Amino acid sequence: MADQKTTDFPAPAASDGAAQARRAMAWAHTARFLTTASRLDQLPATELPEIAFVGRSNAGKSTAINTLTQQKRLAFASKTPGRTQHINLFELGPRDAADALFADLPGYGYAAVSRGDKERWQKVMADYLEVRRSLTGVVLMVDSRLGFTDLDLQLLEFVAPRVANGSVKLLVLLTKADKLNRRDADRALKTCSDTLAAIGTEESDIGIALFSALNKRGVDDTAVLLRSWVAA
Ligand code: GDP
């Protein structure tokens, strides 16, 4: 991508930034469990814009979802044995007029997973990211101390065509940012941005941000951005 639009969140207008963040956090808080599926064809067909959360195991995905939605155990189901390979859907917005879905996709890269499981995972992820029509955005969680792993890059490849043509937005959250000093945080952003430059185009909408569930860095801004994706 020649001209990366965001290496961090754009500063909101000072006057309404706080109110906008409050509204976005209130919206995120409405998230409630909808359904779980082990196969794509079990997912409900929907017109609602869907935001998928992806990342390798231990990247901090469940913690990030729980932090964003301000719910202690919302993403806990994804960790239940037997459910780790499932796609869990959450509905957001007013109960009688849902306006978006969050999809918590299976974490990947867990060492103990068998080869057969890995292949199955790849197929489910590739299919989901390529064909799910209602997919509006992808939030990729990457441990800020580790950066992209091979499986993260593979996943980016699955979704790159849709990001490049502007039909799917991408936000990379560098998680556990509380563990980095400023210099390392800057370096993590730069490395990540260089990698992403290779997959985007000028049409595409790619964001990168530091995120911490511990000190809440990036939380409000993420909620505002995700809300803007689905409100468009
Ligand atoms: P998942 O496998 O991607 O869902 O990862 P989890 O959300 O379970 O997090 C993995 C580990 O990282 C847990 O021990 C969390 O407590 C820890 N963790 C998650 N987010 C943060 C964070 O923002 N800061 C710190 N310091 N630790 C975190």
Side-chain angles (χ1 to χ4, degrees):
M1 172 178 38
D3 174 27
Q4 187 130 354
K5 284 184 206 140
T6 34
T7 49
D8 210 336
F9 291 111
S15 56
D16 64 2
Q20 199 185 23
R22 262 198 312 277
R23 281 196 299 275
M25 288 300 283
W27 170 74
H29 186 56
T30 63
R32 60 254 174 203
F33 179 76
L34 178 65
T35 188
T36 185
S38 62
R39 293 201 324 256
L40 279 187
D41 58 12
Q42 294 171 340
L43 286 177
T46 173
E47 296 298 312
L48 294 177
E50 190 162 296
I51 296 175
F53 292 79
V54 298
R56 65 172 281 159
S57 304
N58 213 40
K61 178 163 61 73
S62 314
T63 307
I65 293 173
N66 291 341
T67 302
L68 271 171
T69 59
Q70 308 132 80
Q71 300 186 38
K72 284 206 175 82
R73 293 165 61 87
L74 189 71
F76 188 75
S78 341
K79 302 230 140 199
T80 317
R83 285 276 179 89
T84 52
Q85 294 292 311
H86 285 213
I87 296 173
N88 292 295
L89 286 189
F90 306 98
E91 198 174 63
L92 290 93
R95 283 194 178 268
D96 54 355
D99 55 19
L101 297 176
F102 281 178
D104 183 11
L105 268 61
Y108 45 85
Y110 183 57
V113 169
S114 70
R115 182 150 166 216
D117 279 349
K118 272 189 194 151
E119 280 167 8
R120 210 174 71 84
W121 169 81
Q122 283 176 337
K123 172 124 187 60
V124 169
M125 298 296 264
D127 286 354
Y128 174 88
L129 294 170
E130 281 165 18
V131 309
R132 181 78 167 154
R133 288 269 59 86
S134 51
L135 183 66
T136 299
V138 172
V139 182
L140 170 59
M141 250 88 39
V142 175
D143 189 318
S144 57
R145 295 163 305 171
L146 302 178
F148 290 123
T149 64
D150 286 351
L151 286 172
D152 295 320
L153 296 174
Q154 215 177 83
L155 184 133
L156 282 171
E157 241 171 68
F158 296 152
V159 78
R162 294 180 74 181
V163 173
N165 74 20
S167 64
V168 169
K169 298 171 172 62
L170 174 68
L171 172 64
V172 177
L173 290 181
L174 299 174
T175 58
K176 312 184 196 180
D178 52 276
K179 295 191 185 238
L180 297 186
N181 63 30
R182 191 167 174 166
R183 202 180 48 146
D184 290 341
D186 285 346
R187 189 179 300 151
L189 280 171
K190 168 86 171 68
T191 308
C192 178
S193 157
D194 288 349
T195 305
L196 290 174
I199 70 156
T201 69
E202 283 171 49
E203 310 294 310
S204 60
D205 216 336
I206 301 180
I208 310 167
L210 296 162
F211 188 93
S212 166
L214 207 71
N215 65 21
K216 304 291 187 278
R217 178 168 191 173
V219 175
D220 283 2
D221 290 336
T222 298
V224 169
L225 184 66
L226 301 192
R227 186 151 191 249
S228 78
W229 286 356
V230 303

